[in-house]
Amino acid sequence: MNPEITLQDKEDIVIAQKYRIRVNPPRQSSFRVVALIYYQLLGQEESSSNDSNRNYVVGANDEPCYVNGSICAERAALVQLRFLPIKSITKVVITTDSPQPIYPGFLCREFMSSHLALDPETVPIITAGSLCRDPCCRLNIGKTMIDNTFASAPGINHESSALASLSETASAFNACLGQGKTFHQWNIVKTSLTALYPYPSPYTRLDANECVELGPILSKKYSDQQIIAQSQLPPQASHLIAKATEAANAANDRYQLHPIQYAAAVLFDDGTIQTACQRKALEYGCSLDAVTQLGTYMEEKLGTNKKNDSDLGTSRPKLLVQTDQFGVIHAPFATARAYLSEFGFGDTKVLISQSCQQMADDVQILQISVCDLAPSAPDIGALFVQ
């Protein structure tokens, strides 16, 4: 993938920015995200960079009163593609109310990694900030401007007034006020899904039946590799894998909802081990993740939920693993990556496997840190840095 920001990229960012300033902020965070997903239809010739008939769908984030049910802009856009005979996704463009570019969240990354039409290595993912860096312009179309607009005189429809004002701002997109500048000097980042979501599940892009077929195959290869890697892995690694696999099999009583059952095990500095199982709900999105359920025990061991510093514990998680009922190792999924990286467990060691359907003969069990699973994690500070 070419990381260079092209003229077409800048034009696409302008389109995304215009969509963003016309949409009402979600009612909980008041922070807007818009994603454009560009695609090529089956039988359609590849669009040139100056083709005005390029195809895209647009999505925006939204939030109910309980924020766990929120949907990101990327997923809101991607689900629309199910109604279209697409050949491939060609680009993802994201803009937000932050002055600085913000990378997609982990749920967005995981969802994109499962999409059959999105090549994780070659499809560019572009994200742009909302503040023009040119000192002669400094156009700000971010959250600060939204807050100021919504704080208009009482007795009027604030949201309608805000949208009218923001629509007028779209005309300012035509040119930066800086000398000799055509496009605003927004901070822009161009990357790929491979860089943003490393070590996806070996079942990524498989359907349920294919997962069941691959599981036992990988399990045998993992067992062989485990023997080879004994000298490189911590001495407790095999026991921890066995404990997680045992827990997954013990809890696999909702097979009819989905045939794969996950469980996780964590080893603490004091030598104790705790396990937790995925809890599958009829509505998949309401299921409980195995690794995040370990969070209660991890925080209790550290004493982070105690009121007094004198009550703080000292036992940190030493090693963590997630497996399924076959013993196949899976890196923590999106919700767990977010929890672990945001709540102080970035240095925790995790067992992962380097394997995929196409490379089933090349299986490695590795020990990495949580921070390796969460590159370019969304930064709350970026929401306010000018």
Side-chain angles (χ1 to χ4, degrees), residues 17 20 31-33 95-103 127-131 140-144 186-187 379-386:
Q17 299 280 37
R20 182 175 56 81
F31 186 81
R32 299 167 305 174
V33 182
T95 64
T96 77
D97 284 336
S98 168
Q100 304 297 325
I102 292 183
Y103 291 96
T127 177
S130 61
L131 175 67
N140 184 353
I141 51 171
K143 190 173 186 303
T144 300
W186 289 304
N187 282 320
D379 179 12
I380 190 171
L383 305 183
F384 310 106
V385 174
Q386 299 291 316

Side-chain angles (χ1 to χ4, degrees), residues 133-369:
R133 292 176 290 119
D134 191 293
C136 296
C137 182
R138 303 293 289 179
L139 175 69
N140 184 353
I141 51 171
K143 190 173 186 303
T144 300
M145 183 182 128
I146 300 300
D147 292 341
N148 291 340
T149 307
F150 275 18
S152 53
I156 65 170
N157 185 325
H158 295 309
E159 294 190 2
S160 298
S161 175
L163 287 174
S165 175
L166 293 174
S167 297
E168 293 172 2
T169 307
S171 62
F173 286 176
N174 294 331
C176 175
L177 297 180
Q179 292 185 351
K181 303 290 178 57
T182 302
F183 290 96
H184 288 284
Q185 305 302 297
W186 289 304
N187 282 320
I188 302 171
V189 173
K190 190 174 187 177
T191 185
S192 69
L193 191 57
T194 298
L196 293 176
Y197 199 75
Y199 309 111
S201 167
Y203 297 158
T204 297
R205 304 190 178 201
L206 300 183
D207 63 30
N209 292 329
E210 291 169 333
C211 293
V212 173
E213 292 176 5
L214 181 62
I217 297 173
L218 288 181
S219 178
K220 175 60 169 63
K221 294 181 182 295
Y222 283 15
S223 298
D224 295 340
Q225 177 63 28
Q226 214 171 312
I227 297 173
I228 298 172
Q230 283 296 325
S231 60
Q232 301 175 0
L233 295 177
Q236 308 94 331
S238 294
H239 180 57
L240 204 63
I241 294 170
K243 292 288 286 183
T245 305
E246 178 184 336
N249 280 284
N252 198 16
D253 59 350
R254 308 198 91 187
Y255 189 90
Q256 69 276 20
L257 291 182
H258 194 279
I260 301 300
Q261 174 69 40
Y262 299 99
V266 59
L267 170 69
F268 293 97
D269 284 338
D270 61 8
T272 59
I273 292 176
Q274 185 66 52
T275 62
C277 302
Q278 173 202 30
R279 296 300 182 189
K280 287 178 282 192
L282 182 60
E283 185 179 2
Y284 283 172
C286 296
S287 301
L288 299 181
D289 174 77
V291 175
T292 53
Q293 289 186 78
L294 291 174
T296 299
Y297 305 106
M298 294 165 68
E299 292 183 23
E300 183 176 322
K301 285 281 189 178
L302 277 179
T304 54
N305 55 357
K306 303 290 180 63
K307 294 182 179 180
N308 301 317
D309 290 344
S310 59
D311 294 332
L312 294 182
T314 58
S315 184
R316 293 190 60 85
K318 184 177 181 180
L319 186 64
L320 186 150
V321 67
Q322 177 177 237
T323 72
D324 59 31
Q325 73 265 34
F326 303 113
V328 176
I329 299 171
H330 302 260
F333 296 119
T335 52
R337 296 188 190 201
Y339 167 73
L340 294 170
S341 62
E342 291 184 33
F343 285 83
F345 298 105
D347 60 348
T348 300
K349 300 301 180 183
V350 180
L351 292 179
I352 60 101
S353 60
Q354 276 273 55
S355 63
C356 65
Q357 304 90 283
Q358 293 78 18
M359 297 172 57
D361 290 329
D362 184 18
V363 177
Q364 290 181 299
I365 299 176
L366 305 175
Q367 177 184 264
I368 63 173
S369 297

Side-chain angles (χ1 to χ4, degrees), residues 80-158:
Q80 299 175 55
L81 297 180
R82 297 187 63 195
F83 296 96
L84 301 170
I86 69 166
K87 177 183 178 182
S88 63
I89 292 172
T90 57
K91 184 189 292 188
V92 179
V93 179
I94 304 162
T95 64
T96 77
D97 284 336
S98 168
Q100 304 297 325
I102 292 183
Y103 291 96
F106 293 109
L107 282 174
C108 310
R109 302 179 194 191
E110 187 170 76
F111 197 87
M112 287 191 285
S113 74
S114 297
H115 204 290
L116 295 174
L118 197 158
D119 188 317
E121 294 185 1
T122 62
V123 173
I125 298 177
I126 301 169
T127 177
S130 61
L131 175 67
C132 180
R133 292 176 290 119
D134 191 293
C136 296
C137 182
R138 303 293 289 179
L139 175 69
N140 184 353
I141 51 171
K143 190 173 186 303
T144 300
M145 183 182 128
I146 300 300
D147 292 341
N148 291 340
T149 307
F150 275 18
S152 53
I156 65 170
N157 185 325
H158 295 309

